[in-house]
Amino acid sequence: MFTYLETASPLHRLNPSMKLLAMSVVALGATFTFDPFIPAMLALALWLTAWLLGRVPLRQMLRWSLPLVSLPIPLMIFTALYTDLSRYPQPHILWQWGPWTLAVEGLWTALGLGLRVTTFLATSLLFIATTDPTDFAMSLAQNLKVPYRFAYGLLVALRFLPLLRREFDIIRMAHRIRGVEEERGMRGWLRRTRRYAVPLLASAIRKSERTALAMDAKAFGAYPDRTYYREMPLRGRDVLFVVAWAGYTALVYALALSLDLARLEWVPQAFFPGLGKAAFLSTIQKIASLMAVLG
Amino acid sequence: MPERDVGRVVGYALGTGLFALLVYYVAAVVRGPEVEYISWNPVHAAVLTVLGLAAGAAWGSRRALEGWRTVEVVLVANLALVFGLLFLGWAVVWDLAKPLNAILPGLRDAVYGFWFIAAVLGAYIVRKPGAAIATETLAAAAEFLAGGEWGLTLLLSGLVQGGMAELVFALTGYRRFDLPTLMAAGAAAGVGSLVVDYLFWYSDKAPWVLGLMLVFRILSGAILGGWLAKVIGDALHRAGALGAFAIAQEE
């Protein structure tokens, strides 16, 4: 879906591990609330940052915005229909049929959850579009102290990706030349998958063996530490990037609290007495009265 | 198999799991009257315990990874990449299965188990401490890098699903890799997956819905995660592709 764009931008020059950390902070920030306001503000900022600071072309950003909006829809439908309404003293029910109940509370929660998915997707978009996979693997080993044999293993696997596609084509041609027909329909799809899966995996495994042998022959992994061709230093701007996102997330929370738009579920409410459900209920009340005026 | 590695995985897992439970018990029950906002909730107790178990298993298997051969590292990374991409494709099945929830909420989770197959297959082939957790976490990382729908939460899902599967293999001392063990590992990963999804998505759901989801995830994990991993692993073994790995030294 999202792919790395090989351009130069301030985001491209950041340390990948710190970028990942900053994105984790934002993603974590989106998980503490069931209200749409906070995730909407976070997703908007991510979108703008990827576009302006990441130099992703606007056309590409618009194309990638489609999954940002459409992928959360199934979760939203599920949430809207199965919210635990027994938690609310007087749910505002809009529609009821059999086991399904649609209430304002459920819809509002669904919108919040949907925007949470959008925020997660936007963090992926920003990270993937502006991070060279090789830099990322090197940074994992150098900055996050992932055992370097695994970081390199990941890199080897990423390099195999285009080969895998070619291998798939070869297997398909080999089948065709032997007169195996491409079947249609659900059953045909299932049989095809079975026919391709084992040769494809087997060839990936054989390639792993040969590569590992070559790596061993060059004494890869012989020492606990190693030196790197690409150094991934931590600079002031990397720290600034993390601090800026943490600060923005805190700011959004402060704004949401002052606007009564933060229904905090996971922060121990002992620290913030009077927050949470009361604010949520008053929001629902406002929406319901607005709907009554409109309807 | 060095006994120390086994002991470390099991010890850390049980230690952190029980510690998490104890902390929650103290906060919610012993200090109950003063801390009025935290009250004992069996769902939260279970969630914290499972998270503790998985985190402990992950931490405990870290050291064992250093003893791997290069060929095992590369194999696990490659398996993870292939399955990471398949996991990305499985999101389509997950979307198509959405109407199943109209029949019975949680029935959709019957297709969830395929997402644990990397953990079980990796452990089935390599048979070393850390295999389940490394394969599943790397597969989740590959899925995230390829643009998976659930973003960074995938990394936590992979870690907890892999950690729970790892715990099952550790409890057998990494000696048993028969069908019941593989199915138990898949089922355990199913429990772990629901815990993470509860934290991120489903904490608003009614308890009976969560219960149904748990049942379907356990069944699905055992079949699509455990049984299918054995089918694929055995097929690869028969094809002669696994000569360099522990699975070939079985007989």
Side-chain angles (χ1 to χ4, degrees):
Chain A
M1 192 160 56
F2 311 128
T3 46
Y4 171 57
L5 298 177
E6 225 176 326
T7 49
S9 82
L11 287 190
H12 282 72
R13 283 191 290 276
L14 289 174
N15 183 296
S17 294
M18 297 305 269
K19 214 189 299 177
L20 191 70
L21 182 65
M23 292 301 100
S24 311
V25 169
V26 179
L28 194 71
T31 58
F32 289 123
T33 176
F34 274 122
D35 234 61
F37 177 75
I38 290 170
M41 293 299 282
L42 294 176
L44 186 69
L46 289 165
W47 198 96
L48 290 173
T49 310
W51 175 38
L52 297 172
L53 281 183
R55 304 245 168 89
V56 179
L58 183 61
R59 175 187 270 254
Q60 187 70 62
M61 282 307 295
L62 290 176
R63 198 176 301 144
W64 280 342
S65 296
L66 184 70
L68 289 189
V69 178
S70 65
L71 283 178
I73 290 173
L75 178 75
M76 287 172 72
I77 295 172
F78 182 49
T79 305
L81 290 177
Y82 290 110
T83 292
D84 186 2
L85 288 175
S86 67
R87 298 174 172 202
Y88 310 114
Q90 291 164 315
H92 300 76
I93 292 167
L94 301 171
W95 174 81
Q96 206 165 14
W97 189 81
W100 297 293
T101 313
L102 202 60
V104 180
E105 284 84 352
L107 281 176
W108 193 244
T109 307
L111 189 62
L113 268 180
L115 282 165
R116 188 187 293 182
V117 183
T118 305
T119 307
F120 288 161
L121 283 167
T123 58
S124 309
L125 188 160
L126 190 152
F127 183 82
I128 294 164
T130 65
T131 309
D132 180 356
T134 308
D135 284 351
F136 180 45
M138 292 299 95
S139 173
L140 279 181
Q142 292 174 35
N143 309 124
L144 292 186
K145 306 295 172 211
V146 169
Y148 76 84
R149 297 181 345 140
F150 279 86
Y152 272 91
L154 186 69
L155 201 57
V156 168
L158 286 175
R159 285 286 144 88
F160 275 160
L161 192 56
L163 294 178
L164 209 66
R165 194 162 299 161
R166 228 184 59 197
E167 202 75 33
F168 178 77
D169 286 335
I170 291 174
I171 293 169
R172 204 176 53 192
M173 285 188 281
H175 283 169
R176 198 174 292 166
I177 212 166
R178 285 167 180 79
V180 180
E181 280 185 38
E182 299 263 318
E183 289 165 88
R184 285 168 188 279
M186 195 63 194
R187 182 178 287 182
W189 177 82
L190 208 69
R191 209 169 289 173
R192 248 192 345 250
T193 311
R194 251 176 59 186
R195 233 180 25 233
Y196 289 136
V198 170
L200 206 59
L201 276 172
S203 94
I205 291 166
R206 293 219 176 88
K207 253 201 262 325
S208 311
E209 274 181 49
R210 283 201 296 272
T211 314
L213 210 61
M215 288 159 87
D216 278 337
K218 288 170 180 162
F220 174 81
Y223 302 100
D225 290 308
R226 63 170 293 128
T227 55
Y228 295 93
Y229 172 61
R230 286 196 203 196
E231 298 271 354
M232 291 287 148
L234 285 180
R235 297 196 188 86
R237 62 182 186 216
D238 302 316
V239 179
L240 188 70
F241 188 69
V242 177
V243 171
W245 276 109
Y248 177 74
T249 309
L251 196 73
V252 168
Y253 265 85
L255 194 65
L257 290 177
S258 68
L259 293 175
D260 253 9
L261 282 172
R263 177 184 166 212
L264 305 173
E265 288 281 307
W266 286 101
V267 178
Q269 297 192 342
F271 299 123
F272 301 100
L275 278 182
K277 204 146 276 177
F280 174 70
L281 291 178
S282 82
T283 312
I284 293 294
Q285 201 64 51
K286 276 178 223 156
I287 297 171
S289 53
L290 190 70
M291 285 171 67
V293 169
L294 291 174
Chain B
M1 195 59 55
E3 290 300 322
R4 256 178 318 152
D5 287 335
V6 180
R8 222 181 261 130
V9 176
V10 176
Y12 272 108
L14 296 183
T16 19
L18 290 176
F19 180 71
L21 186 63
L22 186 71
V23 167
Y24 182 65
Y25 180 79
V26 169
V29 177
V30 180
R31 282 180 47 84
E34 295 101 276
V35 189
E36 53 184 293
Y37 290 96
I38 302 176
S39 58
W40 179 260
N41 179 337
V43 177
H44 289 183
V47 163
L48 285 170
T49 310
V50 171
L51 278 181
L53 287 175
W59 188 253
S61 59
R62 238 181 88 91
R63 187 80 65 79
L65 294 179
E66 319 233 314
W68 282 29
R69 293 183 295 141
T70 311
V71 65
E72 289 161 346
V73 173
V74 178
L75 169 90
V76 159
N78 261 317
L79 272 186
L81 179 79
V82 172
F83 279 99
L85 294 178
L86 288 177
F87 289 173
L88 194 65
W90 199 251
V92 177
V93 177
W94 178 243
D95 280 349
L96 288 177
K98 191 183 59 175
L100 290 179
N101 268 345
I103 303 168
L104 184 68
L107 185 58
R108 180 200 199 190
D109 293 58
V111 305
Y112 202 104
F114 182 73
W115 276 313
F116 321 138
I117 196 170
V120 183
L121 185 60
Y124 185 49
I125 293 175
V126 174
R127 307 193 172 187
K128 281 193 175 171
I133 199 159
T135 319
E136 189 70 29
T137 309
L138 283 175
E143 192 186 349
F144 159 66
L145 286 177
E149 181 169 338
W150 295 279
L152 280 162
T153 64
L154 284 169
L155 296 182
L156 188 66
S157 290
L159 209 61
V160 175
Q161 292 166 13
M164 290 302 284
E166 187 75 50
L167 185 57
V168 171
F169 292 117
L171 285 173
T172 72
Y174 298 94
R175 267 188 278 269
R176 284 184 50 183
F177 289 90
D178 49 1
L179 188 58
T181 312
L182 299 187
M183 289 176 86
V191 176
S193 75
L194 188 62
V195 162
V196 176
D197 290 353
Y198 175 81
L199 286 177
F200 286 127
W201 321 105
Y202 299 140
S203 49
D204 206 39
K205 301 288 170 290
W208 65 275
V209 176
L210 289 170
L212 281 174
M213 291 171 94
L214 182 65
V215 170
F216 283 116
R217 286 216 183 168
I218 287 175
L219 288 176
S220 167
I223 295 165
L224 286 176
W227 173 79
L228 192 60
K230 184 169 170 61
V231 169
I232 295 179
D234 287 345
L236 288 171
H237 182 34
R238 269 199 309 278
L242 297 174
F245 304 97
I247 185 174
Q249 269 97 62
E250 199 178 24
E251 292 91 31

